[in-house]
Amino acid sequence: MQDFGQLGRREAIRQLFEGTPFEPFRPALTEGGSRCLNASRLLLEGIDFDLIYFPLKHLGYKSVAAVTGELYAGIASPATLKIALGVSAKLGFDRIKELWSGVVSAAQEFGYKSLGLELQPSLSGLSISVSATGTLSGSERPVPASKDLLCVGGALGAAYLGLQVLERGKAAFEKGSENKEELERYRMLVGSYLKPELPVGLPEALAEAGIKPSAAYFVDRGLADALLKLVGDTGLGAKVYADRIPFEGGSFELGKALDIDPVSAAMNGGEDYRILLAVPMSCYESFRHDFQTFDIIGHLAQSDVGAVLVSPDGLEHPVSAPGWSTTDNH
């Protein structure tokens, strides 16, 4: 009998779709007066967050950012948002109000037009179900091509490293001590995990600048995961250069202390909530001028290249990611 550990997340999903008329890993599109993109997430206490160190207001904000990042990756402008909370008896109304204040703050910041809420009792801790729709622009994307630039909007690996600081703090707290000094020293890394930042208004900014990415992905499970999706979807290769990956300050210092390679954290750590764009070379000058928070980290390549990470010495290392089987990159 196979278990999820053997299959990996994506292979398990692929097998569950076998024999059905539906395709996995495709954006959920709806047709109406305009084309819309749907995004949804389910966040579970003890799996996706720990209330011992996760401020409820930040958790509400991050829950909305999770679906908004998926809309941005579809170059869709946020429109409607609905939250369903499974509330356990240990959480009083005041704490749910705190969580909700983070949701409302994010909904306003990202420009949602409507917001709905459903409350249900829960016997197994807090659960947060988030669903959103966004409006797609009417223009088609250019066909991805070799040499299109790969650009990422912010530091990578920071959220994973910040989570390690929080987990160390939790362990210290349970032993009756504190690690306030470490939390303060790495507060930018901790903040990357607790309240990730998205480039607010990205779809509108791209449209205003006249830039049409040939591909876009939400980097929430590590850069490697996004690269493998990109290669599978486009049929092209992708090269990313390790010395061009942006890192938050303190990443290498903390990585050395924890024996964690920051590059590995960036590739497979997850929770960064960044947007990866493939931008045609013809848009290079205008993109560099108007989107200075993005870093160029590589480019698309011929299909026989596959997905590779190029080390500073020029060696190319094949990219792999947890949750992917060796035969299925879709």
Side-chain angles (χ1 to χ4, degrees):
M1 180 179 68
Q2 290 180 303
D3 59 30
F4 280 99
Q6 294 173 318
L7 289 173
R9 179 182 60 87
R10 294 186 66 83
E11 176 62 14
I13 293 173
R14 190 191 68 78
Q15 290 193 22
L16 289 170
F17 270 80
E18 282 184 350
T20 76
F22 306 103
E23 289 186 70
F25 316 121
R26 298 299 177 197
L29 297 174
T30 58
E31 299 288 343
S34 61
R35 297 177 71 234
C36 293
L37 179 70
N38 295 332
S40 62
R41 283 293 178 93
L42 176 62
L43 305 174
L44 301 173
E45 182 179 352
I47 302 294
D48 299 291
F49 57 88
D50 191 326
L51 292 182
I52 290 177
Y53 53 69
F54 214 127
L56 284 166
K57 185 173 182 179
H58 287 354
L59 179 58
Y61 183 98
K62 185 173 181 177
S63 300
V64 177
V67 290
T68 306
E70 293 186 22
L71 296 182
Y72 279 7
I75 316 299
S77 300
T80 67
L81 179 69
K82 183 164 184 182
I83 310 290
L85 300 178
V87 183
S88 66
K90 69 179 182 180
L91 291 176
F93 181 65
D94 286 346
R95 299 196 72 194
I96 294 303
K97 283 179 65 177
E98 185 181 350
L99 174 74
W100 184 244
S101 70
V103 169
V104 173
S105 176
Q108 292 177 315
E109 181 174 332
F110 295 127
Y112 284 95
K113 306 300 187 293
S114 69
L115 173 61
L117 173 64
E118 180 62 52
L119 298 174
Q120 295 286 346
S122 171
L123 295 176
S124 56
L126 177 64
S127 63
I128 306 171
S129 175
V130 193
S131 59
T133 62
T135 304
L136 292 160
S137 64
S139 58
E140 294 185 1
R141 294 183 187 179
V143 176
S146 178
K147 301 302 182 183
D148 283 1
L149 302 172
L150 295 178
C151 311
V152 69
L156 296 173
Y160 179 77
L161 292 169
L163 175 59
Q164 307 315 305
V165 174
L166 289 166
E167 287 290 339
R168 282 159 64 92
K170 176 184 174 182
F173 176 77
E174 290 172 343
K175 293 178 181 178
S177 60
E178 298 184 50
N179 71 334
K180 288 184 178 180
E181 183 179 337
E182 186 173 72
L183 287 169
E184 177 59 27
R185 183 187 306 153
Y186 301 116
R187 57 190 174 88
M188 296 298 292
L189 297 174
V190 170
S192 295
Y193 172 74
L194 293 178
K195 193 174 182 289
E197 296 182 358
L198 291 172
V200 175
L202 178 64
E204 295 82 2
L206 288 168
E208 185 177 341
I211 296 173
K212 298 178 182 179
S214 59
Y217 292 88
F218 187 34
V219 184
D220 62 332
R221 293 186 172 94
L223 179 60
D225 180 83
L227 289 174
L228 289 172
K229 290 177 186 175
L230 172 62
V231 168
D233 290 345
T234 64
L236 294 170
K239 286 188 178 184
V240 166
Y241 297 85
D243 56 3
R244 295 185 185 177
I245 295 174
F247 293 99
E248 191 64 76
S251 292
F252 285 89
E253 177 188 351
L254 180 60
K256 184 177 181 180
L258 300 180
D259 195 25
I260 297 173
D261 179 7
V263 175
S264 295
M267 297 302 291
N268 295 310
E271 298 279 353
D272 281 315
Y273 285 26
R274 302 304 189 191
I275 305 299
L276 176 70
L277 300 176
V279 178
M281 279 292 294
S282 59
C283 299
Y284 170 76
E285 292 296 339
S286 58
F287 186 82
R288 290 301 299 153
H289 181 269
D290 294 332
F291 296 88
Q292 296 181 18
T293 59
F294 278 77
D295 288 276
I296 298 173
I297 61 171
H299 58 82
L300 293 180
Q302 297 298 324
S303 59
D304 58 350
V305 172
V308 296
L309 175 68
V310 183
S311 58
D313 58 9
L315 295 178
E316 297 183 356
H317 307 273
V319 168
S320 61
W324 289 78
S325 74
T326 56
T327 58
D328 177 45
N329 286 344
H330 297 282

